[in-house]
Amino acid sequence: MWAELEPVGRSERSGGYRRFAWSRADHDLREWFAAEAARRGLDLTEDRMGNQWAWWGDPDQAVRDGDPGVVTGSHLDSVPDGGAFDGPLGVVSAFSALDALRDNGFTPRRPIGVVNFVDEEGARFGVACAGSRVITGAMTGRRARSLTDADGTTMADALQAAGRDPHQIGRDDETVARVGAFVELHVEQGRALVDLGHPVAVGTDIWPHGRWRLDFPGEANHAGTTRLEDRHDAMLGFAGAVLAAREAATTHGCVATVGKVAVTPGGVNAIPSAVTGWLDARGASPRAVRRAVADVRSMVEQAGGVVSEESWTASTPFDAVLGARLQTVLGDVPALGTGAGHDAGILANAGVPTAMLFVRNPTGVSHSPREHAELSDCLEGVQALTTVLEDLAGAQGPGAGGRA
């Protein structure tokens, strides 16, 4: 499976991946997922946002019985020039865990599902976890359709180009109700497990995080003939915001960066008439993040710019009972919080009992071609996920992860 995914959407220049929502690479990844489901005889469904669900067992009967299914999986899209592990490791591990359960002769009492969430990274349209946000109602279908990429293409246009009806996307309570427990395996996006000397950890929570758009006005003019005192250079305000974000994060004990910028008209010899940047800020304390963003906002407004909040996800604790069950089943494994957002966090905020497993990343690097996990650690992750699924899909009663 890993070898089949390796070339899809890979940039020869950077060695990283450009797997953006509703692109050709995304289509190929969806075809791969469907083929893996068919190879195992799983029932493949799609929800109102196009997320793919491969089921072993009947999830609707389980809902009628009051004991909905156990789901695992992750996403297959990437950030620009992203690594191979962020997302795909969770999907490949999910299929591998199902294979291991079947090889062991296990028959689930509750159905088991594998999910591929679309547009988790938000790399094309700017809002992370769009697939899970829409089906849980955290983002409306109308807003999703109106999101635009860097070329001005709306998500509605992209969906239509992909052969889909954009007006079908929206909240999907029926799909969410099928998920009695969700366990997402993910490569760790940091070095905590390296320091702790463990290959696998149980996730405890996701830090609050958000994205803000920073718009700076200016006046286009000739870069060589316009006197400095006559210039209205939008880039100066933007440059100040980049520095302000770093200073504010340091002051308030969180993290913040401006990782994307669009310049108009974008010529080397033209003074920018407009600059738009996107700020990402996160931290263990929501108050600290909000204070940091307020400092940046103050600087931007002083420079004549405008700050618009594009997304905000509050502190997201995972289900304590489910997490404790995972730690009991897996034994001596550490518990970790994370500053990275995940579909697991969106489901948790929607009331789904949710947990995460992290696999050690020896470099600590993520969202980069240098992102890595050793094969032996990946196999430890598969074994941990297999153990968890066997327990949850064969168990009932308190702590089993099901919803009343």
Side-chain angles (χ1 to χ4, degrees):
M1 287 186 285
W2 200 254
E4 291 172 355
L5 283 176
E6 191 272 337
V8 182
R10 190 166 194 175
S11 166
E12 293 183 4
R13 179 184 59 83
S14 69
Y17 289 90
R18 290 178 168 262
R19 296 165 167 169
F20 304 148
W22 308 118
S23 66
R24 178 67 206 190
D26 184 58
H27 169 81
D28 291 346
L29 293 165
R30 294 174 66 83
E31 289 291 300
W32 173 88
F33 185 91
E36 291 300 319
R39 187 172 294 128
R40 293 164 175 81
L42 305 177
D43 294 325
L44 183 66
T45 65
E46 291 188 10
D47 59 36
R48 292 189 61 198
M49 187 58 191
N51 302 306
Q52 295 174 292
W53 305 78
W55 285 100
W56 179 14
D58 185 347
D60 294 321
Q61 183 61 52
V63 171
R64 290 191 291 270
D65 292 341
D67 199 8
V70 178
V71 178
T72 185
S74 192
H75 62 96
L76 294 173
D77 64 314
S78 76
V79 298
D81 293 326
F85 292 80
D86 180 354
L89 180 62
V91 177
V92 170
S93 296
F95 282 127
S96 297
L98 259 65
D99 293 344
L101 289 173
R102 286 178 163 180
D103 289 345
N104 293 337
F106 176 74
T107 300
R109 188 189 61 81
R110 301 164 66 189
I112 298 177
V114 178
V115 63
N116 169 33
F117 282 111
V118 301
D119 204 7
E120 191 270 355
E121 297 291 3
R124 182 174 182 184
F125 298 104
V127 176
C129 300
S132 54
R133 285 182 190 274
V134 169
I135 65 166
T136 58
M139 180 167 65
T140 65
R142 175 178 293 183
R143 187 188 175 204
R145 286 189 291 271
S146 69
L147 296 173
T148 59
D149 65 13
D151 296 326
T153 302
T154 65
M155 186 182 287
D157 292 338
L159 286 164
Q160 200 158 24
R164 296 177 171 272
D165 182 357
H167 297 289
Q168 290 298 314
I169 70 171
R171 181 170 177 153
D172 194 334
D173 293 335
E174 182 179 353
T175 290
V176 176
R178 293 170 174 168
V179 188
F182 179 59
V183 181
E184 181 174 5
L185 181 145
H186 204 281
V187 68
E188 187 196 1
Q189 296 170 288
R191 289 180 49 84
L193 283 172
V194 174
D195 296 337
L196 292 170
H198 282 265
V200 178
V202 174
T204 56
D205 66 308
I206 296 175
W207 291 356
H209 57 282
R211 295 181 181 184
W212 291 262
R213 174 173 168 153
L214 317 177
D215 289 297
F216 296 89
E219 182 181 9
N221 215 327
H222 196 291
T225 62
T226 309
R227 295 183 303 178
L228 289 178
E229 58 268 29
D230 293 335
R231 300 183 182 206
H232 185 193
D233 190 341
M235 186 63 74
L236 295 180
F238 172 74
V242 174
L243 297 175
R246 179 59 176 262
E247 182 178 353
T250 301
T251 299
H252 297 289
C254 57
V255 293
T257 194
V258 179
K260 179 181 177 182
V261 59
V263 182
T264 305
V268 176
N269 59 349
I271 298 167
S273 61
V275 175
T276 298
W278 282 266
L279 170 71
D280 182 298
R282 315 173 188 224
S285 163
R287 187 177 183 185
V289 176
R290 289 293 192 184
R291 284 182 169 181
V293 174
D295 287 356
V296 176
R297 184 187 298 274
S298 177
M299 178 272 145
V300 170
E301 292 176 347
Q302 288 176 19
V306 176
V307 178
S308 306
E309 182 175 295
E310 292 200 332
S311 67
W312 170 256
T313 303
S315 303
T316 306
F318 295 127
D319 188 86
V321 175
L322 181 58
R325 188 177 189 91
L326 263 62
Q327 288 196 282
T328 298
V329 170
L330 296 177
D332 183 26
V333 295
L336 293 178
T338 179
H342 300 280
D343 292 305
I346 305 301
L347 294 186
N349 283 332
V352 177
T354 303
M356 289 194 73
L357 295 172
F358 294 117
V359 173
R360 180 165 50 194
N361 178 343
T363 66
V365 173
S366 188
H367 286 186
S368 160
R370 291 178 55 213
E371 180 179 87
H372 184 64
E374 296 292 342
L375 176 59
S376 58
D377 287 348
C378 292
L379 294 177
E380 289 281 354
V382 170
Q383 180 57 57
L385 183 60
T386 302
T387 300
V388 166
L389 294 178
E390 182 176 15
D391 180 70
L392 295 179
Q396 61 184 3
R403 292 185 283 177

